[in-house]
Amino acid sequence: TTFACRRGCKSGERSVWMLEADIRSVKKSQWSRSGGGRWSGDVTLNMKLRYALIFLTALAIVTYHHVQKEFFGPRLETMVIYENYYANERDPEVSCQFPILHPFDESILPHVKIAKPIRCFARNKILTMIDENGYLKYNKSGLVEGGYDIDSPPSCYFQEIFRAPKSDFDVIYSNPTLMKGCDQLQSDFVFVECYNFAGISIYQNFHASVQRNQSVRKFKNDVELSVAVIGLDSMSRLNFMRQLPLSYRYITDVMEGVVLLGFNKVGENTFPNLVPMLTGRPSAWGAYYHYENWPFVWKQFADEGAATMYSEDLPQFNMFDYLSTGLQHQPTVHYMRTFWLAVEKSLLYRMSSTFCLGARPKHVIYFHYLLSFLRVYRNSPAFLFSLFNEASHDYVNTVGAIDQDLRDFLNASVTEGLFNRTVVLILGDHGNRIDPIRLTDVGRIE
């Protein structure tokens, strides 16, 4: 067989030669170029037909998906049971009455969707945990699922996280400590990192669980009550009914909660609405940069020896820190801002899926922390103030993804008797201020 050299190669360089027979085969092929530099007519037609078929197939798949979703998929207005209990209970003597709006008024239906589930993707299972007694331990089920030996787990080190003195924007980590498998913690928040035999990091995680403060006393008598305020940012009553039907039904049917109508906000955003609630004063009562002397209600509880908690996520938008200098001193015994500050500065957070921290949705971590507070202080007076922001702040539909977990949190609290001596308030600070639903009359009233 003879060889021919490609253009540009030197004689004798066999590595770039090609068989002469292959050259003849290519010339005879229908894929050879014609004199004008274009593909032959048959080939051009075949290629066009192939591309057209691919395009039409993709178009058919997309069309089928949207038709199935819009016309045959489940819709919230058919999934939520709505009964207008209050239509005939209005006082005719009251001249100024709030309009009674239907949560599925026709004008807002184009803006109402079923929330997509939150899916967290992580390369590792959850290898560590904090048990019900507040001890840091290895998670045996996670070790088994991850292929580790329970009796010989990977080497893990933990660092407790504390709020920096006189700073609402910094945190302090303790020195790394080797996990022994049952480690008692001093802080509510801890960071864990595990390494393989080569010293390479194979696992990172953050945990949040309340550690009891020994200065908190027990109930003095059978009359004392605790208070739990559980808030969702930008959440109207009607959107709560639409997007959180499981939780709404649990509150009204199982907890026998009283639904308050006609909430009248006193400001545009969170700060001017919640400051009057927490202080009894208008939001412009004092200088925005000197909160230390404000008469917050949690101070009165603390003075009586009660446990106190103030919890928000999204630290960059927290009530006293957005466009402000923040709180100089930690306002309550348990303060979750410290946890989220550490989380959002971590590599784990930057590598996590939306609404997730590693393998866990952030709202699940949030509800677990609230639940640990109620469990630890079940026999003590307590004041809990919580405002969860991320799932509901920007859009009216995304909050539906937390419905089952919110319902589970409420159910656990009721089943374990954690609300037996607690006044529970579930509320929003105002309605949605950003979503396109505000283009409708009903959306603006919400």
Side-chain angles (χ1 to χ4, degrees), residues 79-90:
M79 298 172 64
V80 178
I81 301 174
Y82 174 73
E83 299 175 21
N84 193 346
Y85 298 104
Y86 313 101
N88 300 320
E89 299 180 7
R90 311 189 74 171

Side-chain angles (χ1 to χ4, degrees), residues 94-112:
V94 177
S95 58
C96 181
Q97 297 184 348
F98 284 91
I100 295 179
L101 304 175
H102 196 287
F104 293 102
D105 187 87
E106 290 186 2
S107 65
I108 65 170
L109 290 183
H111 304 284
V112 176

Side-chain angles (χ1 to χ4, degrees), residues 29-41:
S29 172
Q30 62 175 344
W31 298 99
S32 63
R33 289 182 177 272
S34 61
R38 299 178 180 177
W39 296 102
S40 61

